[in-house]
């Protein structure tokens, strides 16, 4: 009963956070921990952990790392990085289904307990980040006055598949709200012949969007500066929708919240599974780098729990 009450409390707290502003990692972490707490109260802990925390995220992670290693070795030849991804990814994939065996047979061994706890902590981060992304991709509840489309790298000087999908998603939304303004955000990389926003502008004009409906932001160099530079086109009363790829959505919205840009997100689907998983893992890595306290804090908690 206590376990169920704790789980319900975490879920209710998560709903409060989501209702107030869902653009936070807590929007995924709190409901996830609540569901996990419920599961541990209804079925054995090792089974809940295996099915919900460990096997799925670590299996996906291992598959992506193995694929990356194979791709690096096949494209660039022998390299330490390629073998690291290939071998490391394979070991992660092998470990995931072995988790219940290790838990049942050797969970009392300190080194095994530490290893399982660290893997579990990483898996919780992956699951919670994924759930927060899904929550922030829920249908819009506002009628936008500004539609902010984030740039992506140009390919051979033109709009590539990722950027094209972002543009088509933003333009489809614009067709529903033709009084809104489009903000094209993207600067010029070292390997790009022009700012991304200029190419985005040309694409929109070819699709029939009037010049008066488009604003260009050409100074940004990354996601953080996308938001800080685009702020000059946004007024306090604007209802903003941020358009980007599904794997990129949560981190973009977190930056928007940090920059004081009140907005909701429109996630554009990325069709290639392996690419999406790869990009998602990079996004989670970037998030943990921004919030560096997550890794040492989590590891300290894991060690303390294992020693108790």
């Amino acid at each position: 009963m206590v376990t169920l009450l704790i789980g319900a409390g975490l879920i209710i707290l998560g709903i409060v956070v989501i209702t107030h502003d869902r653009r936070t990692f807590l929007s995924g972490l709190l409901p996830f921990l609540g569901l996990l707490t419920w599961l541990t109260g209804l079925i054995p802990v090792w089974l809940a952990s295996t099915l919900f925390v460990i096997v799925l995220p670590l299996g996906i992670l291992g598959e992506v790392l193995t694929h990356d290693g194979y791709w690096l070795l096949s494209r660039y030849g022998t390299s330490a990085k390629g073998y690291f991804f290939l071998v490391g990814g394979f070991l992660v994939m092998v470990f995931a289904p072995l988790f219940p065996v290790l838990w049942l047979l050797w969970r009392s061994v300190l080194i095994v307990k530490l290893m399982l706890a660290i893997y579990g902590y990483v898996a919780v981060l992956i699951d919670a980040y994924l759930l927060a992304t899904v929550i922030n991709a829920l249908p819009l509840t506002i009628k936008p006055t500004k539609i902010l489309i984030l740039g992506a790298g140009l390919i051979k000087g033109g709009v590539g598949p990722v950027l094209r999908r972002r543009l088509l998603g933003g333009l489809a939304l614009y067709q529903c709200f033709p009084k809104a303004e489009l903000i094209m955000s993207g600067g010029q990389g070292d390997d790009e012949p022009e700012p991304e926003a200029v190419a985005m502008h040309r694409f929109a004009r070819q699709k029939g969007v009037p010049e008066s409906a488009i604003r260009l932001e050409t100074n940004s160099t990354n996601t953080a500066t996308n938001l800080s530079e685009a702020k000059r086109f946004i007024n306090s009363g604007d209802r903003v929708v941020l358009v980007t790829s599904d794997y990129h959505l949560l981190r973009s919205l977190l930056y928007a919240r940090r920059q004081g840009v009140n907005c909701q997100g429109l996630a554009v689907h990325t069709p290639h599974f392996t690419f999406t998983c790869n990009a998602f893992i990079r996004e989670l890595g970037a998030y943990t780098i921004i919030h560096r306290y997550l890794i040492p804090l989590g590891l300290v908690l894991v060690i303390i729990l294992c020693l108790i």
Side-chain angles (χ1 to χ4, degrees):
M1 176 61 74
V2 174
T3 302
L4 295 178
L5 288 175
I6 293 174
L10 288 168
I11 292 174
I12 292 171
L13 187 57
I15 293 172
V16 171
V17 170
I18 293 167
T19 303
H20 178 259
D21 190 343
R22 63 193 187 191
R23 299 173 301 166
T24 169
F25 180 66
L26 292 177
S27 66
L29 180 61
L30 291 172
F32 173 78
L33 291 178
L35 290 172
L36 182 60
T37 304
W38 270 357
L39 273 179
T40 57
L42 297 173
I43 60 178
V45 174
W46 69 267
L47 182 59
S49 301
T50 300
L51 297 179
F52 201 46
V53 182
I54 303 297
V55 174
L56 180 61
L58 292 184
I60 292 174
L61 175 63
E63 186 275 332
V64 172
L65 291 176
T66 304
H67 177 274
D68 282 356
Y70 175 78
W71 181 83
L72 286 170
L73 291 173
S74 61
R75 180 163 185 173
Y76 298 107
T78 301
S79 68
K81 184 177 181 180
Y83 281 116
F84 174 79
F85 281 131
L86 183 67
V87 176
F90 178 76
L91 291 176
V92 169
M93 279 197 298
V94 170
F95 172 83
L98 287 178
F99 176 83
V101 178
L102 292 172
W103 177 269
L104 288 173
L105 298 181
W106 297 295
R107 63 179 181 272
S108 60
V109 180
L110 180 59
I111 186 66
V112 174
K113 188 187 296 186
L114 281 170
M115 182 177 66
L116 295 177
I118 291 171
Y119 268 82
Y121 175 67
V122 173
V124 166
L125 288 180
I126 294 174
D127 283 345
Y129 194 89
L130 178 59
L131 181 57
T133 298
V134 171
I135 288 171
N136 277 277
L138 292 173
L140 301 173
T141 60
I142 60 174
K143 297 179 179 180
T145 58
K146 299 287 173 64
I147 300 172
L148 171 58
I149 306 176
L150 300 189
L154 302 181
I155 297 180
K156 296 181 180 179
V159 172
V162 172
L163 183 53
R164 178 183 175 84
R165 284 183 171 272
R166 294 183 187 183
L167 285 164
L168 290 176
L171 294 182
L173 183 62
Y174 171 76
Q175 294 299 321
C176 297
F177 302 98
K179 293 184 180 180
E181 287 186 341
L182 289 164
I183 304 173
M184 308 297 188
S185 178
Q188 183 174 359
D190 295 335
D191 58 345
E192 295 174 325
E194 62 183 356
E196 295 163 8
V198 173
M200 296 162 70
H201 168 267
R202 186 164 55 247
F203 183 95
R205 293 288 289 129
Q206 291 171 353
K207 296 295 184 181
V209 179
E211 182 72 34
S212 60
I214 303 174
R215 301 289 180 268
L216 297 187
E217 181 285 298
T218 59
N219 298 322
S220 57
T221 56
N222 52 38
T223 304
T225 53
N226 278 143
L227 277 304
S228 60
E229 293 290 337
K231 280 179 63 176
R232 67 178 185 270
F233 299 111
I234 299 172
N235 302 317
S236 59
D238 278 326
R239 299 181 298 275
V240 183
V241 172
L242 184 153
V243 182
T244 189
S245 304
D246 44 13
Y247 62 83
H248 187 237
L249 181 68
L250 181 58
R251 188 162 64 93
S252 302
L253 291 173
L254 293 174
Y255 276 124
R257 182 178 183 178
R258 180 177 291 186
Q259 296 286 349
V261 178
N262 189 19
C263 64
Q264 292 185 10
L266 176 65
V268 178
H269 176 57
T270 307
H272 304 295
F273 176 75
T274 300
F275 173 80
T276 303
C277 290
N278 191 333
F280 174 79
I281 291 169
R282 290 201 309 270
E283 289 294 313
L284 177 58
Y287 176 80
T288 54
I289 289 173
I290 295 168
H291 300 81
R292 292 178 178 85
Y293 63 87
L294 283 175
I295 298 300
L297 177 61
L299 293 179
V300 169
L301 289 175
V302 162
I303 292 172
I304 291 174
L305 290 174
C306 288
L307 293 176
I308 294 177

